[in-house]
Amino acid sequence: MNTVLRPVMRTAGTLLLALLPWLAAVPVHAQTERTIDGRTFTVHVVEQGQTLYAISRAHAVPVDALLQANPDAARGLAIGQEVLVPQDAVVRKEARSAPTLLRDGELQHIVARKETLFGIARKYEVDINALLQRNPEANAGLRPGMVVIIPPGMGAAQPPAVTRPAAPEGMRMHVVQPGETLYGLARRYAVAAEAIQEANNGLPEGLKAGMSVLVPIADEGPVAPFVVEEPVPDRPYTVGLLLPFAHQRNDSVLAQAPPGGPARYHEASRIAAQFYAGALMAIDSAKAAGLRAEVHVIDTGDDARAWGPAVRTVAAAGMDLCIGPFHRQAIEELARLAPATHIVCPVPQSNKVILGHANVSKVVPTRTDLLRFTARHVALRHNRDHVVLLRPDIHGEKDGQDLMERTLREAMAARPGTFGDSLIIARPGRRDLGDLPAKLHASRLNVLLAPGEDLEYVATLVTKLRALVPKYRIMLVGLESWPGMTTISPTDLDRLQFTFATGSFIAHGTPATDRFVRGFQDRFGHDVDDYALLGYDVTRYYLDALHQEGRALVHAFDTLRGEGLHMGFRMTRTGPENGFRNEAAIMVQQHEMRLVRVP
């Protein structure tokens, strides 16, 4: 087995942001305050076009603090959604000169003394040409007190969910890029072109670069051809590892580290290195098991200028299997160019990455997958307990509640007698338990399913349920984000037997994990992290599948179950024209202030 390093050079420069028309500056409405467990929050109601990044800048609060207080915001914002802004996270120095948040996601910045247009562009991570287009008077120079409008599209270095404009429920907002067409947009999001037109008043002027359009969220996409190559016994398999090493960017970051200080690596490069190290150990195991394969390692960089040439090179090579790229656009481009190659998305991505791409599979379960898994687990393990589904009336959480209720009822239909053939629904509020206490059972275990991430609701639920523990046996089934909510006491979660589903969980102390950790440390001289384990588990599963089933491995996914060191594999096709998603998950429970795996 050969390991071939074929780096792809990045080109300098940044992506030119689309030019935006001049719009009247309209400030957002006044905001209220809310106190949760002694912590004060400003309540920001999201309006169309606003982004989490813009909200962060306007309130002078780091994005990480907003995400911690609003875990659901990591999936993007919806119009009308309430974002809790923690007042104790406000950066006072920045608050004095914080911009004003306007409608449509723009910011109003007041120019300070000695401030330059270049400095403002860098501050808001926006292209300077977009600034000049939006503020043509700035071509004559800046002066203190002058108003500069920061257009949408700021925060270029932030994750997509942080910079994605808010849209109505059932819709997503898309900022049109130069060269995009209605047909291409429809194919990308797996919806009819007519549906996009209808959501945008017919688009009488067509698509223009820089404009924001609403795109309906659909469950299925168009047909994409998928060709399975017949096995060729005399030829070894070819496998590509497409990883964002971003050598040049990492060299630049390392060069900026202070002399004598600790090395600071570019984050994408660090992740790629850990994943690659884990993958190398999986490759060795597959080689020992008899797999004949040539493994090619390709640096895809961390932007389109780098991954474009890499993807075209890989497509031309006609590989049997590709693990990576990490970026959704790169995966979609490779899927179109190489329909006979099976492509693995190894990092968290929306299920949209597999829609319309039958030759793609993604291994990290989404929140939707985890909700389904949770419901099925409860139906299987607690079919004789007292199960209650909590459905508070909270904006943005109805879809998750509907999904869990639908999955529970399907499980009940398949298993007569489950929950006494009836599902109990309770409707607590944000600040009280509502009718929940009246629906608890005095002698049976009460399994409470709470598929929500609203901070105030979760904090209230945990606090008030804790007081009922002496009277009732309670197991609270929530979401993976809850332990990260600072207003929730870990001891309260312990008393409530807090349980949740996760896509991965490291079971330290098991023989297999201990052997891997020792071998990894001996070989590479540093500690294992989640990405190293991900690299090992994903590479080992797909190489084993290739070894067992050859180039037609996807046809055996229904029977190829896998159990890695920290995740499982149960690949399921979403539809005949779509790819595969991983339905395997792990149930974890907090017990004696530590997390343990639930059998």
Side-chain angles (χ1 to χ4, degrees):
M1 179 178 295
N2 300 319
T3 301
V4 185
L5 183 64
R6 297 163 56 192
V8 177
M9 303 299 290
R10 294 179 63 252
T11 56
T14 57
L15 181 64
L16 180 65
L17 294 178
L19 302 180
L20 300 172
W22 180 273
L23 297 173
V26 184
V28 299
H29 54 70
Q31 293 151 351
T32 59
E33 292 185 355
R34 188 174 296 162
T35 300
I36 304 173
D37 286 353
R39 198 177 181 201
T40 304
F41 298 84
T42 299
V43 180
H44 178 94
V45 180
V46 178
E47 297 188 2
Q48 181 167 317
Q50 293 180 352
T51 67
L52 196 69
Y53 180 76
I55 294 170
S56 164
R57 300 310 303 256
H59 290 278
V61 171
V63 168
D64 289 346
L66 287 182
L67 287 171
Q68 188 177 61
N70 306 270
D72 54 332
R75 301 190 303 275
L77 300 179
I79 295 173
Q81 178 179 348
E82 289 186 348
V83 172
L84 297 178
V85 182
Q87 293 188 3
D88 56 9
V90 172
V91 180
R92 302 299 173 189
K93 182 179 179 181
E94 295 181 6
R96 290 193 290 270
S97 58
T100 300
L101 182 57
L102 310 176
R103 298 188 190 279
D104 297 320
E106 294 187 322
L107 291 174
Q108 178 179 282
H109 175 86
I110 306 299
V111 178
R113 290 180 64 250
K114 298 184 179 180
E115 202 164 27
T116 66
L117 198 66
F118 175 78
I120 294 173
R122 185 172 57 182
K123 177 178 182 179
Y124 292 103
E125 299 176 37
V126 64
D127 188 85
I128 194 169
N129 294 294
L131 271 184
L132 287 170
Q133 179 72 15
R134 182 64 179 87
N135 303 271
E137 68 280 6
N139 283 286
L142 300 182
R143 61 184 183 278
M146 181 178 176
V147 172
V148 173
I149 303 299
I150 313 298
M154 66 196 89
Q158 302 294 321
V162 174
T163 57
R164 187 181 303 130
E169 286 194 76
M171 297 279 181
R172 61 165 52 84
M173 188 72 72
H174 176 86
V175 178
V176 180
Q177 301 300 311
E180 282 190 317
T181 64
L182 182 62
Y183 172 77
L185 204 59
R187 180 170 177 81
R188 174 178 177 180
Y189 290 109
V191 297
E194 293 76 13
I196 299 176
Q197 289 177 313
E198 184 178 348
N200 296 274
N201 299 317
L203 290 174
E205 298 181 1
L207 294 184
K208 294 182 179 180
M211 72 186 298
S212 297
V213 296
L214 295 171
V215 180
I217 296 175
D219 292 330
E220 297 187 355
V223 175
F226 179 50
V227 181
V228 176
E229 182 183 347
E230 291 299 321
V232 181
D234 295 333
R235 179 169 72 81
Y237 300 117
T238 55
V239 179
L241 279 179
L242 282 66
L243 305 176
F245 289 109
H247 294 296
Q248 293 184 4
R249 181 76 63 86
N250 188 54
D251 290 345
S252 176
V253 172
L254 286 172
Q256 296 174 20
R264 294 182 180 179
Y265 299 95
H266 180 50
E267 183 62 8
S269 303
R270 186 196 66 79
I271 289 171
Q274 283 279 350
F275 188 98
Y276 180 48
L280 284 178
M281 295 188 69
I283 291 169
D284 287 348
S285 297
K287 178 181 178 180
L291 176 67
R292 293 180 63 237
E294 295 177 354
V295 179
H296 302 266
V297 182
I298 299 99
D299 180 6
T300 59
D302 56 359
D303 61 30
R305 293 174 183 260
W307 74 58
V311 162
R312 290 189 289 273
T313 298
V314 171
M319 293 185 180
D320 301 308
L321 173 69
C322 283
I323 299 175
F326 284 13
H327 297 84
R328 174 177 166 179
Q329 288 176 295
I331 293 171
E332 292 173 341
E333 184 176 351
L334 180 57
R336 289 191 295 269
L337 294 174
T341 299
H342 189 72
I343 302 158
V344 182
C345 173
V347 292
Q349 287 284 0
S350 162
N351 279 340
K352 297 298 181 182
V353 75
I354 62 176
L355 294 181
H357 300 297
N359 57 330
V360 176
S361 60
K362 61 181 294 291
V363 299
V364 180
T366 63
R367 180 176 184 268
T368 298
D369 298 320
L370 295 178
L371 288 177
R372 287 196 188 97
F373 184 87
T374 300
R376 291 166 182 159
H377 173 87
V378 168
L380 177 66
R381 300 292 184 181
H382 299 280
N383 58 83
R384 294 292 181 245
D385 293 323
H386 189 68
V387 177
V388 184
L389 174 62
L390 310 188
R391 297 204 54 155
D393 185 14
I394 296 177
H395 182 84
E397 297 199 343
K398 184 176 182 297
D399 289 346
Q401 296 169 1
D402 288 345
L403 175 64
M404 184 158 281
E405 180 173 347
R406 185 167 61 250
T407 308
L408 282 168
R409 293 194 184 281
E410 289 172 356
M412 289 169 60
R415 298 173 60 86
T418 301
F419 314 148
D421 290 328
S422 64
L423 177 62
I424 300 170
I425 306 292
R427 302 189 182 278
R430 261 201 175 100
R431 304 179 185 179
D432 58 63
L433 294 180
D435 62 353
L436 176 57
K439 298 187 175 183
L440 297 178
H441 200 286
S443 59
R444 293 165 63 189
L445 175 64
N446 294 278
V447 180
L448 308 183
L449 286 163
E453 290 183 302
D454 181 87
L455 178 63
E456 185 176 18
Y457 158 65
V458 174
T460 298
L461 181 68
V462 170
T463 301
K464 293 188 178 296
L465 283 177
R466 174 201 58 194
L468 299 179
V469 169
K471 184 177 180 181
Y472 299 98
R473 293 167 59 214
I474 296 174
M475 186 178 85
L476 181 59
V477 182
L479 301 182
E480 188 173 8
S481 59
W482 288 18
M485 297 181 179
T486 56
T487 56
I488 297 178
S489 165
T491 56
D492 289 347
L493 293 177
D494 217 61
R495 293 169 186 159
L496 293 168
Q497 301 182 66
F498 173 61
T499 305
F500 62 90
T502 179
S504 61
F505 180 73
I506 304 174
H508 292 288
T510 63
T513 302
D514 289 348
R515 281 196 303 271
F516 176 82
V517 170
R518 287 195 300 270
F520 189 95
Q521 291 172 336
D522 290 345
R523 181 170 180 176
F524 301 108
H526 57 81
D527 292 333
V528 171
D529 74 357
D530 289 347
Y531 283 99
L533 286 164
L534 183 67
Y536 178 83
D537 281 352
V538 171
T539 305
R540 182 65 193 268
Y541 173 77
Y542 281 93
L543 290 185
D544 284 351
L546 188 63
H547 191 194
Q548 294 175 37
E549 305 297 333
R551 296 174 179 91
L553 73 164
V554 297
H555 295 304
F557 277 161
D558 288 342
T559 57
L560 283 173
R561 300 289 186 256
E563 189 66 35
L565 294 177
H566 86 316
M567 67 185 302
F569 296 88
R570 183 182 177 185
M571 309 309 297
T572 303
R573 192 184 284 281
T574 306
E577 70 278 13
N578 301 320
F580 295 82
R581 72 177 192 274
N582 189 6
E583 289 192 333
I586 299 167
M587 292 302 294
V588 176
Q589 186 174 88
Q590 185 169 317
H591 178 67
E592 295 181 351
M593 301 303 292
R594 65 189 184 95
L595 295 177
V596 296
R597 183 167 181 168
V598 177

